[in-house]
Amino acid sequence: MKDVFLKKLALVTFGLAITGSGFAGASKEPMSAEQLRNGLVRFALANNELAPVLNSASRLEGPSADFLRAQLLLASGRTEDAISELKAVIDGDYHRADAALLLGKTLLHYQDPEAQKWLELAVRVGGRETGSEAGFYLAELHRSNGHSEKAGQVLGGLAAGYWAAVGYMNLASDYAREDLNAVRALVSLRVALAMAEQDPEVSRRKALTGRLLVRAGYLALQNNDYDKAISFLEGVSLDGDNNLTAQALYFHGLALSKKGSSRAAMQSWHRAKKYPLAYPGVADSWIGMGRGYDLSGYLGQSGEAYLAATAAFESERVTLRNLAEQIREGGAYNTLLAKARDTGVEWFLADHRIKTQPRIAYLHELLQEPEAQKAVSRVAELDAVGSELEREARDLDVFIRSLKSQLTTLSRQKPDVVGGLLSTQRFLHKELSALSAQPLSAIQRARLDAVAETLAETSTDLTTFGRSVQNQPLELERLLAEARSLKSSTERLYGQVQVLRREADRQLDELALEFVSVQDRRMVLVQDKAEQQIAHLYEYLAVSKMEGREP
């Protein structure tokens, strides 16, 4: 995990270096240690890879140090310390709005009444993005307390963009639930669409716009305003590979059918049928095809369409039973997520897998629920921590074996190898002294002096080396004891993580099996509906035959 983190960081650093040197006017001054350390922490927080930087918290410097430290404390679970640090940042001169927003969101999670005060502060002092996000959460707080009007007032003061759009979308849900007609809800959705158009992030804007259009189309359909519903739904992109497109196609066909355009409705339903039955609207589109043929006067094709729908629903129930069995045997995480990552499909087909693979489609639907998202995230994080601890334990085991091997090698060596070398040194020095006492030329004496100097240096090196050799077993023993202690701690932590992982797996399995059970009951209902339509059709044909008239 740490290696992957460092590789990512190296790529980012390399990119920054290229950016800094490749554009005119860019700063050519090297980054300081403070900037590098702060950048490392920001990168770790953005990627939720905190382990490599947790020790850096106390060494952070500069105007952003306190805010980064507070984020590290919060991300590592030290909530109370993080709250105290965030309050200190708010009282300072830097990152006041960001700290107030983070504090407000944190307290909102714990349903603390003080959350409102900090969110209001973030709205007042924050810039466009920070203030808008804080305003969204403040509006959500008012909504959850049943004060829709206050939520609307807060949203009315926000800058156009993503957060305002999501706020108005949620407000529309309240209006649709509370009002007898859809006027206020549709107005809120129109405002949300206008706000979403100002979102600079293209992918986010497209996803939110599609969701808003489907909701608006459904509300218009419920309000019997079929032209308006068709107008909304035709704005949904057909390039999507998710339930949004399938649902929009079904509603579009239903609106056309209500207007009497059965053939056009069947075209929309036929396109929706290509999506997995896991998605809302797909099963109803299968049944809608039979109804469309019926309204068009093609009773034979209508019967065939209903029979095809019944067969498709029965096949889907088999798929769901197999999926439930796989979850019971291998767990939901391995069945739905691990296998989804390894499908053998080439990268250029990956975007279209969701249309053809029921398992991925059901995974997509399961992850629409916040509880399922938390459960999957919990298992994934514990899986990553467990893998990291397992790797560390293997590395420590290799290190321990290496230390043992070195100690064994040292124990087999002659005890006084260095002493023997030093004795040889003394003998050579004695012989050299004897030679120096003899009459020599200047050149010979210079050579002897050089040899004497070399012998003196090697004697000093051998003495130092001798002390090092004598101390080496003790140092190796110390390292071996430390490595064994670390391995024991790592294995203990690994065991604790495995206990938590099994519990997280159990919770995810329960959620997944309940989800599959709900989907199976849904298939039973639509299958019964299709069979009832077949029965009504046969009854109509039989009565027509008895009365002697053409069906």
Side-chain angles (χ1 to χ4, degrees), residues 136 140 143 155 162-176 185 188-189 191-193 207-213 215 219:
F136 165 76
E140 288 298 291
R143 276 201 334 107
L155 293 172
Y162 173 78
W163 294 107
V166 176
Y168 276 108
M169 180 178 70
N170 293 344
L171 195 60
S173 298
D174 288 348
Y175 290 153
S188 293
L189 288 174
V191 174
L193 284 166
L208 180 57
T209 300
R211 191 172 297 277
L212 289 168
L213 288 169
R215 291 196 181 194
L219 282 175

PDB file of all heavy atoms in Angstrom, residues 136 140 143 155 162-176 185 188-189 191-193 207-213 215 219:
ATOM      1  N   PHE A 136     -25.715  24.175   1.271  1.00  0.00           N
ATOM      2  CA  PHE A 136     -26.443  22.941   0.999  1.00  0.00           C
ATOM      3  C   PHE A 136     -26.685  22.158   2.288  1.00  0.00           C
ATOM      4  O   PHE A 136     -27.815  21.714   2.554  1.00  0.00           O
ATOM      5  CB  PHE A 136     -25.668  22.091  -0.005  1.00  0.00           C
ATOM      6  CG  PHE A 136     -26.141  20.666  -0.077  1.00  0.00           C
ATOM      7  CD1 PHE A 136     -27.321  20.346  -0.732  1.00  0.00           C
ATOM      8  CD2 PHE A 136     -25.420  19.643   0.530  1.00  0.00           C
ATOM      9  CE1 PHE A 136     -27.772  19.035  -0.781  1.00  0.00           C
ATOM     10  CE2 PHE A 136     -25.865  18.333   0.488  1.00  0.00           C
ATOM     11  CZ  PHE A 136     -27.043  18.030  -0.170  1.00  0.00           C
ATOM     12  N   GLU A 140     -30.131  21.242   4.194  1.00  0.00           N
ATOM     13  CA  GLU A 140     -30.488  19.869   4.545  1.00  0.00           C
ATOM     14  C   GLU A 140     -30.834  19.752   6.019  1.00  0.00           C
ATOM     15  O   GLU A 140     -31.732  18.987   6.405  1.00  0.00           O
ATOM     16  CB  GLU A 140     -29.325  18.928   4.205  1.00  0.00           C
ATOM     17  CG  GLU A 140     -29.123  18.712   2.721  1.00  0.00           C
ATOM     18  CD  GLU A 140     -30.331  18.077   2.078  1.00  0.00           C
ATOM     19  OE1 GLU A 140     -30.605  16.893   2.348  1.00  0.00           O
ATOM     20  OE2 GLU A 140     -31.025  18.772   1.308  1.00  0.00           O
ATOM     21  N   ARG A 143     -34.304  21.042   6.313  1.00  0.00           N
ATOM     22  CA  ARG A 143     -35.236  20.060   5.735  1.00  0.00           C
ATOM     23  C   ARG A 143     -35.489  18.903   6.690  1.00  0.00           C
ATOM     24  O   ARG A 143     -36.625  18.454   6.878  1.00  0.00           O
ATOM     25  CB  ARG A 143     -34.676  19.509   4.421  1.00  0.00           C
ATOM     26  CG  ARG A 143     -34.945  20.326   3.219  1.00  0.00           C
ATOM     27  CD  ARG A 143     -34.832  19.548   1.921  1.00  0.00           C
ATOM     28  NE  ARG A 143     -33.952  18.411   1.975  1.00  0.00           N
ATOM     29  CZ  ARG A 143     -34.365  17.134   1.991  1.00  0.00           C
ATOM     30  NH1 ARG A 143     -35.646  16.837   1.978  1.00  0.00           N
ATOM     31  NH2 ARG A 143     -33.480  16.153   2.007  1.00  0.00           N
ATOM     32  N   LEU A 155     -31.262  28.142   0.179  1.00  0.00           N
ATOM     33  CA  LEU A 155     -30.876  27.783  -1.186  1.00  0.00           C
ATOM     34  C   LEU A 155     -30.996  28.983  -2.126  1.00  0.00           C
ATOM     35  O   LEU A 155     -30.217  29.116  -3.080  1.00  0.00           O
ATOM     36  CB  LEU A 155     -31.746  26.628  -1.696  1.00  0.00           C
ATOM     37  CG  LEU A 155     -31.550  25.280  -0.985  1.00  0.00           C
ATOM     38  CD1 LEU A 155     -32.592  24.275  -1.448  1.00  0.00           C
ATOM     39  CD2 LEU A 155     -30.145  24.740  -1.238  1.00  0.00           C
ATOM     40  N   TYR A 162     -23.562  23.166  -8.600  1.00  0.00           N
ATOM     41  CA  TYR A 162     -23.919  21.800  -8.214  1.00  0.00           C
ATOM     42  C   TYR A 162     -24.676  21.749  -6.894  1.00  0.00           C
ATOM     43  O   TYR A 162     -25.731  21.119  -6.784  1.00  0.00           O
ATOM     44  CB  TYR A 162     -22.646  20.963  -8.130  1.00  0.00           C
ATOM     45  CG  TYR A 162     -22.866  19.570  -7.587  1.00  0.00           C
ATOM     46  CD1 TYR A 162     -23.395  18.572  -8.393  1.00  0.00           C
ATOM     47  CD2 TYR A 162     -22.543  19.265  -6.271  1.00  0.00           C
ATOM     48  CE1 TYR A 162     -23.601  17.293  -7.904  1.00  0.00           C
ATOM     49  CE2 TYR A 162     -22.733  17.991  -5.768  1.00  0.00           C
ATOM     50  CZ  TYR A 162     -23.265  17.016  -6.584  1.00  0.00           C
ATOM     51  OH  TYR A 162     -23.469  15.752  -6.085  1.00  0.00           O
ATOM     52  N   TRP A 163     -24.132  22.417  -5.854  1.00  0.00           N
ATOM     53  CA  TRP A 163     -24.719  22.297  -4.524  1.00  0.00           C
ATOM     54  C   TRP A 163     -26.123  22.888  -4.481  1.00  0.00           C
ATOM     55  O   TRP A 163     -27.031  22.313  -3.837  1.00  0.00           O
ATOM     56  CB  TRP A 163     -23.817  22.957  -3.490  1.00  0.00           C
ATOM     57  CG  TRP A 163     -22.511  22.259  -3.336  1.00  0.00           C
ATOM     58  CD1 TRP A 163     -21.290  22.683  -3.771  1.00  0.00           C
ATOM     59  CD2 TRP A 163     -22.310  20.984  -2.737  1.00  0.00           C
ATOM     60  NE1 TRP A 163     -20.318  21.753  -3.468  1.00  0.00           N
ATOM     61  CE2 TRP A 163     -20.921  20.696  -2.837  1.00  0.00           C
ATOM     62  CE3 TRP A 163     -23.139  20.055  -2.122  1.00  0.00           C
ATOM     63  CZ2 TRP A 163     -20.366  19.527  -2.337  1.00  0.00           C
ATOM     64  CZ3 TRP A 163     -22.599  18.880  -1.630  1.00  0.00           C
ATOM     65  CH2 TRP A 163     -21.228  18.625  -1.737  1.00  0.00           C
ATOM     66  N   ALA A 164     -26.327  24.005  -5.130  1.00  0.00           N
ATOM     67  CA  ALA A 164     -27.662  24.587  -5.171  1.00  0.00           C
ATOM     68  C   ALA A 164     -28.631  23.663  -5.911  1.00  0.00           C
ATOM     69  O   ALA A 164     -29.786  23.496  -5.501  1.00  0.00           O
ATOM     70  CB  ALA A 164     -27.612  25.955  -5.838  1.00  0.00           C
ATOM     71  N   ALA A 165     -28.166  23.047  -6.987  1.00  0.00           N
ATOM     72  CA  ALA A 165     -29.013  22.146  -7.773  1.00  0.00           C
ATOM     73  C   ALA A 165     -29.443  20.938  -6.948  1.00  0.00           C
ATOM     74  O   ALA A 165     -30.621  20.547  -6.954  1.00  0.00           O
ATOM     75  CB  ALA A 165     -28.269  21.696  -9.029  1.00  0.00           C
ATOM     76  N   VAL A 166     -28.504  20.330  -6.236  1.00  0.00           N
ATOM     77  CA  VAL A 166     -28.845  19.174  -5.398  1.00  0.00           C
ATOM     78  C   VAL A 166     -29.807  19.588  -4.289  1.00  0.00           C
ATOM     79  O   VAL A 166     -30.740  18.853  -3.944  1.00  0.00           O
ATOM     80  CB  VAL A 166     -27.568  18.537  -4.803  1.00  0.00           C
ATOM     81  CG1 VAL A 166     -27.928  17.395  -3.858  1.00  0.00           C
ATOM     82  CG2 VAL A 166     -26.664  18.021  -5.906  1.00  0.00           C
ATOM     83  N   GLY A 167     -29.594  20.771  -3.723  1.00  0.00           N
ATOM     84  CA  GLY A 167     -30.490  21.252  -2.681  1.00  0.00           C
ATOM     85  C   GLY A 167     -31.913  21.412  -3.179  1.00  0.00           C
ATOM     86  O   GLY A 167     -32.872  21.000  -2.513  1.00  0.00           O
ATOM     87  N   TYR A 168     -32.085  22.018  -4.351  1.00  0.00           N
ATOM     88  CA  TYR A 168     -33.430  22.181  -4.911  1.00  0.00           C
ATOM     89  C   TYR A 168     -34.044  20.839  -5.309  1.00  0.00           C
ATOM     90  O   TYR A 168     -35.265  20.661  -5.232  1.00  0.00           O
ATOM     91  CB  TYR A 168     -33.386  23.121  -6.116  1.00  0.00           C
ATOM     92  CG  TYR A 168     -33.438  24.584  -5.734  1.00  0.00           C
ATOM     93  CD1 TYR A 168     -32.318  25.398  -5.845  1.00  0.00           C
ATOM     94  CD2 TYR A 168     -34.615  25.151  -5.243  1.00  0.00           C
ATOM     95  CE1 TYR A 168     -32.351  26.745  -5.486  1.00  0.00           C
ATOM     96  CE2 TYR A 168     -34.673  26.497  -4.887  1.00  0.00           C
ATOM     97  CZ  TYR A 168     -33.536  27.277  -5.004  1.00  0.00           C
ATOM     98  OH  TYR A 168     -33.593  28.599  -4.630  1.00  0.00           O
ATOM     99  N   MET A 169     -33.211  19.888  -5.730  1.00  0.00           N
ATOM    100  CA  MET A 169     -33.726  18.559  -6.060  1.00  0.00           C
ATOM    101  C   MET A 169     -34.313  17.893  -4.805  1.00  0.00           C
ATOM    102  O   MET A 169     -35.400  17.303  -4.845  1.00  0.00           O
ATOM    103  CB  MET A 169     -32.608  17.683  -6.646  1.00  0.00           C
ATOM    104  CG  MET A 169     -33.054  16.277  -7.014  1.00  0.00           C
ATOM    105  SD  MET A 169     -31.740  15.278  -7.767  1.00  0.00           S
ATOM    106  CE  MET A 169     -30.675  15.038  -6.328  1.00  0.00           C
ATOM    107  N   ASN A 170     -33.587  17.992  -3.692  1.00  0.00           N
ATOM    108  CA  ASN A 170     -34.095  17.419  -2.443  1.00  0.00           C
ATOM    109  C   ASN A 170     -35.343  18.158  -1.956  1.00  0.00           C
ATOM    110  O   ASN A 170     -36.271  17.546  -1.413  1.00  0.00           O
ATOM    111  CB  ASN A 170     -33.008  17.473  -1.371  1.00  0.00           C
ATOM    112  CG  ASN A 170     -31.836  16.566  -1.699  1.00  0.00           C
ATOM    113  OD1 ASN A 170     -31.940  15.681  -2.548  1.00  0.00           O
ATOM    114  ND2 ASN A 170     -30.716  16.776  -1.028  1.00  0.00           N
ATOM    115  N   LEU A 171     -35.343  19.468  -2.153  1.00  0.00           N
ATOM    116  CA  LEU A 171     -36.513  20.252  -1.759  1.00  0.00           C
ATOM    117  C   LEU A 171     -37.735  19.844  -2.585  1.00  0.00           C
ATOM    118  O   LEU A 171     -38.867  19.780  -2.064  1.00  0.00           O
ATOM    119  CB  LEU A 171     -36.223  21.743  -1.948  1.00  0.00           C
ATOM    120  CG  LEU A 171     -37.174  22.739  -1.272  1.00  0.00           C
ATOM    121  CD1 LEU A 171     -37.177  22.540   0.236  1.00  0.00           C
ATOM    122  CD2 LEU A 171     -36.763  24.166  -1.627  1.00  0.00           C
ATOM    123  N   ALA A 172     -37.520  19.540  -3.861  1.00  0.00           N
ATOM    124  CA  ALA A 172     -38.615  19.081  -4.723  1.00  0.00           C
ATOM    125  C   ALA A 172     -39.204  17.770  -4.212  1.00  0.00           C
ATOM    126  O   ALA A 172     -40.419  17.548  -4.308  1.00  0.00           O
ATOM    127  CB  ALA A 172     -38.118  18.919  -6.156  1.00  0.00           C
ATOM    128  N   SER A 173     -38.350  16.909  -3.649  1.00  0.00           N
ATOM    129  CA  SER A 173     -38.847  15.653  -3.087  1.00  0.00           C
ATOM    130  C   SER A 173     -39.792  15.917  -1.926  1.00  0.00           C
ATOM    131  O   SER A 173     -40.820  15.244  -1.776  1.00  0.00           O
ATOM    132  CB  SER A 173     -37.666  14.788  -2.612  1.00  0.00           C
ATOM    133  OG  SER A 173     -36.825  14.456  -3.688  1.00  0.00           O
ATOM    134  N   ASP A 174     -39.451  16.901  -1.087  1.00  0.00           N
ATOM    135  CA  ASP A 174     -40.338  17.271   0.023  1.00  0.00           C
ATOM    136  C   ASP A 174     -41.673  17.797  -0.496  1.00  0.00           C
ATOM    137  O   ASP A 174     -42.744  17.418  -0.002  1.00  0.00           O
ATOM    138  CB  ASP A 174     -39.677  18.326   0.905  1.00  0.00           C
ATOM    139  CG  ASP A 174     -38.538  17.764   1.729  1.00  0.00           C
ATOM    140  OD1 ASP A 174     -38.412  16.523   1.787  1.00  0.00           O
ATOM    141  OD2 ASP A 174     -37.766  18.552   2.299  1.00  0.00           O
ATOM    142  N   TYR A 175     -41.614  18.670  -1.494  1.00  0.00           N
ATOM    143  CA  TYR A 175     -42.843  19.241  -2.042  1.00  0.00           C
ATOM    144  C   TYR A 175     -43.719  18.153  -2.686  1.00  0.00           C
ATOM    145  O   TYR A 175     -44.952  18.173  -2.542  1.00  0.00           O
ATOM    146  CB  TYR A 175     -42.512  20.313  -3.082  1.00  0.00           C
ATOM    147  CG  TYR A 175     -41.905  21.569  -2.504  1.00  0.00           C
ATOM    148  CD1 TYR A 175     -41.055  22.375  -3.266  1.00  0.00           C
ATOM    149  CD2 TYR A 175     -42.173  21.967  -1.206  1.00  0.00           C
ATOM    150  CE1 TYR A 175     -40.498  23.542  -2.745  1.00  0.00           C
ATOM    151  CE2 TYR A 175     -41.618  23.123  -0.670  1.00  0.00           C
ATOM    152  CZ  TYR A 175     -40.777  23.903  -1.444  1.00  0.00           C
ATOM    153  OH  TYR A 175     -40.236  25.049  -0.924  1.00  0.00           O
ATOM    154  N   ALA A 176     -43.079  17.229  -3.382  1.00  0.00           N
ATOM    155  CA  ALA A 176     -43.839  16.159  -4.038  1.00  0.00           C
ATOM    156  C   ALA A 176     -44.531  15.274  -3.005  1.00  0.00           C
ATOM    157  O   ALA A 176     -45.627  14.756  -3.250  1.00  0.00           O
ATOM    158  CB  ALA A 176     -42.901  15.318  -4.908  1.00  0.00           C
ATOM    159  N   ALA A 185     -43.153  21.196  -6.780  1.00  0.00           N
ATOM    160  CA  ALA A 185     -42.052  20.268  -7.001  1.00  0.00           C
ATOM    161  C   ALA A 185     -41.439  20.471  -8.386  1.00  0.00           C
ATOM    162  O   ALA A 185     -40.206  20.472  -8.546  1.00  0.00           O
ATOM    163  CB  ALA A 185     -42.535  18.829  -6.846  1.00  0.00           C
ATOM    164  N   SER A 188     -39.346  23.633  -8.453  1.00  0.00           N
ATOM    165  CA  SER A 188     -38.050  23.400  -7.805  1.00  0.00           C
ATOM    166  C   SER A 188     -37.109  22.626  -8.719  1.00  0.00           C
ATOM    167  O   SER A 188     -35.904  22.922  -8.789  1.00  0.00           O
ATOM    168  CB  SER A 188     -38.252  22.633  -6.496  1.00  0.00           C
ATOM    169  OG  SER A 188     -38.941  23.407  -5.549  1.00  0.00           O
ATOM    170  N   LEU A 189     -37.652  21.655  -9.446  1.00  0.00           N
ATOM    171  CA  LEU A 189     -36.808  20.873 -10.351  1.00  0.00           C
ATOM    172  C   LEU A 189     -36.328  21.723 -11.529  1.00  0.00           C
ATOM    173  O   LEU A 189     -35.191  21.554 -11.999  1.00  0.00           O
ATOM    174  CB  LEU A 189     -37.557  19.645 -10.849  1.00  0.00           C
ATOM    175  CG  LEU A 189     -37.760  18.533  -9.810  1.00  0.00           C
ATOM    176  CD1 LEU A 189     -38.642  17.424 -10.360  1.00  0.00           C
ATOM    177  CD2 LEU A 189     -36.407  17.952  -9.387  1.00  0.00           C
ATOM    178  N   VAL A 191     -35.755  24.941 -11.377  1.00  0.00           N
ATOM    179  CA  VAL A 191     -34.687  25.772 -10.807  1.00  0.00           C
ATOM    180  C   VAL A 191     -33.413  24.946 -10.663  1.00  0.00           C
ATOM    181  O   VAL A 191     -32.304  25.416 -10.973  1.00  0.00           O
ATOM    182  CB  VAL A 191     -35.113  26.338  -9.439  1.00  0.00           C
ATOM    183  CG1 VAL A 191     -33.958  27.082  -8.785  1.00  0.00           C
ATOM    184  CG2 VAL A 191     -36.315  27.262  -9.601  1.00  0.00           C
ATOM    185  N   ALA A 192     -33.564  23.699 -10.212  1.00  0.00           N
ATOM    186  CA  ALA A 192     -32.396  22.828 -10.055  1.00  0.00           C
ATOM    187  C   ALA A 192     -31.707  22.580 -11.396  1.00  0.00           C
ATOM    188  O   ALA A 192     -30.468  22.566 -11.482  1.00  0.00           O
ATOM    189  CB  ALA A 192     -32.822  21.500  -9.433  1.00  0.00           C
ATOM    190  N   LEU A 193     -32.487  22.404 -12.453  1.00  0.00           N
ATOM    191  CA  LEU A 193     -31.904  22.210 -13.789  1.00  0.00           C
ATOM    192  C   LEU A 193     -31.112  23.439 -14.220  1.00  0.00           C
ATOM    193  O   LEU A 193     -30.015  23.330 -14.786  1.00  0.00           O
ATOM    194  CB  LEU A 193     -33.009  21.908 -14.800  1.00  0.00           C
ATOM    195  CG  LEU A 193     -33.592  20.488 -14.765  1.00  0.00           C
ATOM    196  CD1 LEU A 193     -34.881  20.421 -15.570  1.00  0.00           C
ATOM    197  CD2 LEU A 193     -32.565  19.494 -15.308  1.00  0.00           C
ATOM    198  N   ALA A 207     -24.573  13.792 -15.006  1.00  0.00           N
ATOM    199  CA  ALA A 207     -25.248  12.818 -14.146  1.00  0.00           C
ATOM    200  C   ALA A 207     -26.400  13.461 -13.388  1.00  0.00           C
ATOM    201  O   ALA A 207     -27.510  12.912 -13.312  1.00  0.00           O
ATOM    202  CB  ALA A 207     -24.246  12.201 -13.174  1.00  0.00           C
ATOM    203  N   LEU A 208     -26.162  14.652 -12.833  1.00  0.00           N
ATOM    204  CA  LEU A 208     -27.205  15.326 -12.059  1.00  0.00           C
ATOM    205  C   LEU A 208     -28.342  15.790 -12.966  1.00  0.00           C
ATOM    206  O   LEU A 208     -29.523  15.649 -12.610  1.00  0.00           O
ATOM    207  CB  LEU A 208     -26.601  16.515 -11.313  1.00  0.00           C
ATOM    208  CG  LEU A 208     -27.570  17.335 -10.450  1.00  0.00           C
ATOM    209  CD1 LEU A 208     -28.249  16.454  -9.415  1.00  0.00           C
ATOM    210  CD2 LEU A 208     -26.837  18.491  -9.780  1.00  0.00           C
ATOM    211  N   THR A 209     -28.010  16.311 -14.138  1.00  0.00           N
ATOM    212  CA  THR A 209     -29.051  16.767 -15.068  1.00  0.00           C
ATOM    213  C   THR A 209     -29.953  15.615 -15.479  1.00  0.00           C
ATOM    214  O   THR A 209     -31.183  15.753 -15.530  1.00  0.00           O
ATOM    215  CB  THR A 209     -28.413  17.419 -16.306  1.00  0.00           C
ATOM    216  OG1 THR A 209     -27.621  18.541 -15.908  1.00  0.00           O
ATOM    217  CG2 THR A 209     -29.475  17.875 -17.288  1.00  0.00           C
ATOM    218  N   GLY A 210     -29.357  14.461 -15.773  1.00  0.00           N
ATOM    219  CA  GLY A 210     -30.158  13.296 -16.136  1.00  0.00           C
ATOM    220  C   GLY A 210     -31.104  12.887 -15.024  1.00  0.00           C
ATOM    221  O   GLY A 210     -32.293  12.581 -15.259  1.00  0.00           O
ATOM    222  N   ARG A 211     -30.601  12.895 -13.790  1.00  0.00           N
ATOM    223  CA  ARG A 211     -31.441  12.521 -12.656  1.00  0.00           C
ATOM    224  C   ARG A 211     -32.597  13.523 -12.478  1.00  0.00           C
ATOM    225  O   ARG A 211     -33.740  13.128 -12.191  1.00  0.00           O
ATOM    226  CB  ARG A 211     -30.588  12.464 -11.390  1.00  0.00           C
ATOM    227  CG  ARG A 211     -31.259  11.845 -10.190  1.00  0.00           C
ATOM    228  CD  ARG A 211     -30.269  11.665  -9.062  1.00  0.00           C
ATOM    229  NE  ARG A 211     -29.204  10.752  -9.419  1.00  0.00           N
ATOM    230  CZ  ARG A 211     -29.304   9.432  -9.340  1.00  0.00           C
ATOM    231  NH1 ARG A 211     -30.428   8.879  -8.914  1.00  0.00           N
ATOM    232  NH2 ARG A 211     -28.290   8.669  -9.676  1.00  0.00           N
ATOM    233  N   LEU A 212     -32.302  14.794 -12.643  1.00  0.00           N
ATOM    234  CA  LEU A 212     -33.331  15.824 -12.508  1.00  0.00           C
ATOM    235  C   LEU A 212     -34.401  15.689 -13.592  1.00  0.00           C
ATOM    236  O   LEU A 212     -35.604  15.840 -13.316  1.00  0.00           O
ATOM    237  CB  LEU A 212     -32.690  17.212 -12.573  1.00  0.00           C
ATOM    238  CG  LEU A 212     -31.841  17.626 -11.362  1.00  0.00           C
ATOM    239  CD1 LEU A 212     -31.034  18.877 -11.702  1.00  0.00           C
ATOM    240  CD2 LEU A 212     -32.724  17.877 -10.147  1.00  0.00           C
ATOM    241  N   LEU A 213     -33.971  15.399 -14.812  1.00  0.00           N
ATOM    242  CA  LEU A 213     -34.932  15.262 -15.917  1.00  0.00           C
ATOM    243  C   LEU A 213     -35.863  14.075 -15.696  1.00  0.00           C
ATOM    244  O   LEU A 213     -37.064  14.150 -15.988  1.00  0.00           O
ATOM    245  CB  LEU A 213     -34.181  15.124 -17.238  1.00  0.00           C
ATOM    246  CG  LEU A 213     -33.506  16.395 -17.759  1.00  0.00           C
ATOM    247  CD1 LEU A 213     -32.584  16.079 -18.922  1.00  0.00           C
ATOM    248  CD2 LEU A 213     -34.555  17.438 -18.165  1.00  0.00           C
ATOM    249  N   ARG A 215     -36.733  12.758 -12.794  1.00  0.00           N
ATOM    250  CA  ARG A 215     -37.668  13.111 -11.723  1.00  0.00           C
ATOM    251  C   ARG A 215     -38.758  14.057 -12.224  1.00  0.00           C
ATOM    252  O   ARG A 215     -39.935  13.901 -11.888  1.00  0.00           O
ATOM    253  CB  ARG A 215     -36.916  13.751 -10.557  1.00  0.00           C
ATOM    254  CG  ARG A 215     -36.033  12.791  -9.806  1.00  0.00           C
ATOM    255  CD  ARG A 215     -35.622  13.359  -8.462  1.00  0.00           C
ATOM    256  NE  ARG A 215     -34.757  12.446  -7.742  1.00  0.00           N
ATOM    257  CZ  ARG A 215     -34.469  12.554  -6.465  1.00  0.00           C
ATOM    258  NH1 ARG A 215     -34.965  13.557  -5.758  1.00  0.00           N
ATOM    259  NH2 ARG A 215     -33.682  11.688  -5.872  1.00  0.00           N
ATOM    260  N   LEU A 219     -42.811  13.308 -12.367  1.00  0.00           N
ATOM    261  CA  LEU A 219     -43.798  14.164 -11.710  1.00  0.00           C
ATOM    262  C   LEU A 219     -44.832  14.686 -12.719  1.00  0.00           C
ATOM    263  O   LEU A 219     -46.032  14.735 -12.424  1.00  0.00           O
ATOM    264  CB  LEU A 219     -43.097  15.340 -11.029  1.00  0.00           C
ATOM    265  CG  LEU A 219     -42.415  15.043  -9.690  1.00  0.00           C
ATOM    266  CD1 LEU A 219     -41.664  16.269  -9.195  1.00  0.00           C
ATOM    267  CD2 LEU A 219     -43.443  14.599  -8.651  1.00  0.00           C
TER     268      LEU A 219
END
